[in-house]
Structure formats: C-alpha cells, structure tokens
Amino acid sequence: MKAQSLLTPASIPMEAIKLGTRLLIEQLIKRHYPRLRYVRAHTTGRNTATLYAWNEDLELPAADAAELKRFAAGHLAPYVCYRVKAYSKLQEDLVPRERELPEPIMQAATNRILNPSGIAAVMNGLLEKQVLTFRKYDYCSNTIHFEVRTAKERSEIEEELVQRCLSELIPLGARCELVYCAEE
C-alpha cells in the first residue's frame, strides 16, 4: 500500500500512514550527515518538529542548517513542517532530556514498518498485567489514541514510563493520548 500523508481524509487507515519516529529520523540524519555529531528531533506541535544539530565544533553553520532543512523537506515525513536550530537551543526550548529506553523500544522505534498494531505489540511485551490497544487516530489533532487495560493500581512513575516509551514509538509531529481502564 502506498504511504499517505497525515494530511489526508480521516478515512485513511492508520496502517497506511508513513511513520517516522524521533529515533529513526535522528538515525537517518546522522547517516546522511556524519559531520553532524549531535542531532536531536523533537515534536513541537501538530505536524511540526524541530531538528537540533551541531557539528564537532559545537556549532551549526548556516550552510549546514539550510542543507538539513532541504533534506528534511525532501526525505523525511512529508506531513511534518521542520524547523532547524542549533543544538544549544534544546534547553532554551525546554526539550526534555533524553532518557535511557528499554532495548525493545529502541529497536521498534527504528523499524520503518512500525504501525499501531506493532506499537501495541511492543508495548504489551513490556507491560506487566496491562494490555495496550490502539483505539483511534484523530486526523484533526494528529493524535493517536491508545487504551491501557489494567487489573492493578499503577503509580505516577509507571504511567510516565508508559507515556515516554509510547511517545518514542509514534511519528514525529504526532501526539499520543493514553486512557487507563480498570479490568473487570
């Protein structure tokens, strides 16, 4: 099936949408631009993302920024509007620090054929006494909705970890929303 943009009618199934996670996009940029030593991608809004980069001299020359912007426009997810900034702007823009992720999340996030069913399978392999399912994709807000059924109480830390892992598996420029439901 041919990949479609997220700017398509809501009738397009989520499986048909080209997915590009943060980790995959960072990997692609590093592969195409080995001179960029530090690269970070971050969702900044609906269908928008910022690419932060520095070379070995801890700078982002204007020529490299322009080249990275052209690369993003021509080779990365077409439904995302990319901005390019120096890596030093991460803190100023309040981008959360990178945290260590479980290996299954890292592997899945760099898999080009990841879809909502695959996301649920990866997450369910990590969740204990909880089941995550894909509920729907909201075209208007570019939000992917998931439900977690659980038979046990969960802590705030567990919820944060699930949200953080899940956000690494969704496309850059998209958001995810989790709803917890108690199993009966």
Side-chain angles (χ1 to χ4, degrees):
M1 181 177 274
K2 187 177 179 191
Q4 298 286 325
S5 157
L6 283 182
L7 299 175
T8 57
S11 61
I12 300 290
M14 189 64 190
E15 281 77 7
I17 296 170
K18 178 181 176 183
L19 301 180
T21 65
R22 175 187 74 84
L23 292 172
L24 178 61
I25 287 173
E26 289 174 3
Q27 184 182 74
L28 291 171
I29 292 169
K30 287 177 182 178
R31 190 175 304 139
H32 281 81
Y33 298 100
R35 69 182 175 275
L36 295 176
R37 185 162 184 209
Y38 301 96
V39 175
R40 181 77 191 274
H42 180 69
T43 294
T44 51
R46 180 180 168 265
N47 296 327
T48 60
T50 302
L51 304 175
Y52 299 89
W54 263 354
N55 61 18
E56 286 195 16
D57 298 326
L58 305 180
E59 56 186 32
L60 181 64
D64 285 350
E67 192 174 332
L68 184 54
K69 180 93 171 145
R70 280 191 300 277
F71 174 79
H75 299 288
L76 300 181
Y79 53 83
V80 178
C81 176
Y82 295 96
R83 292 186 193 114
V84 176
K85 294 184 177 183
Y87 199 84
S88 59
K89 298 293 184 185
L90 280 170
Q91 192 171 13
E92 184 180 313
D93 291 352
L94 303 175
V95 175
R97 287 184 167 189
E98 283 188 276
R99 295 208 168 99
E100 197 167 320
L101 294 166
E103 188 59 32
I105 298 294
M106 300 279 290
Q107 288 175 352
T110 55
N111 181 340
R112 292 175 186 260
I113 58 170
L114 191 62
N115 61 27
S117 303
I119 291 170
V122 170
M123 291 298 296
N124 287 328
L126 296 173
L127 297 174
E128 195 172 297
K129 297 184 181 180
Q130 300 177 62
V131 177
L132 182 133
T133 54
F134 169 69
R135 288 182 55 218
K136 67 178 181 174
Y137 169 66
D138 183 341
Y139 161 75
C140 294
S141 66
N142 195 18
T143 303
I144 305 167
H145 296 265
F146 293 92
E147 179 178 280
V148 178
R149 293 211 167 267
T150 181
K152 66 175 189 125
E153 291 292 318
R154 64 202 175 279
S155 70
E156 223 176 272
I157 293 171
E158 287 175 313
E159 285 184 14
E160 183 183 315
L161 180 61
V162 170
Q163 181 73 37
R164 191 172 71 221
C165 288
L166 189 57
S167 68
E168 293 294 350
L169 297 174
I170 65 167
L172 195 65
R175 302 235 182 246
C176 65
E177 191 169 296
L178 275 172
V179 174
Y180 285 87
C181 302
E183 282 186 346
E184 298 174 12

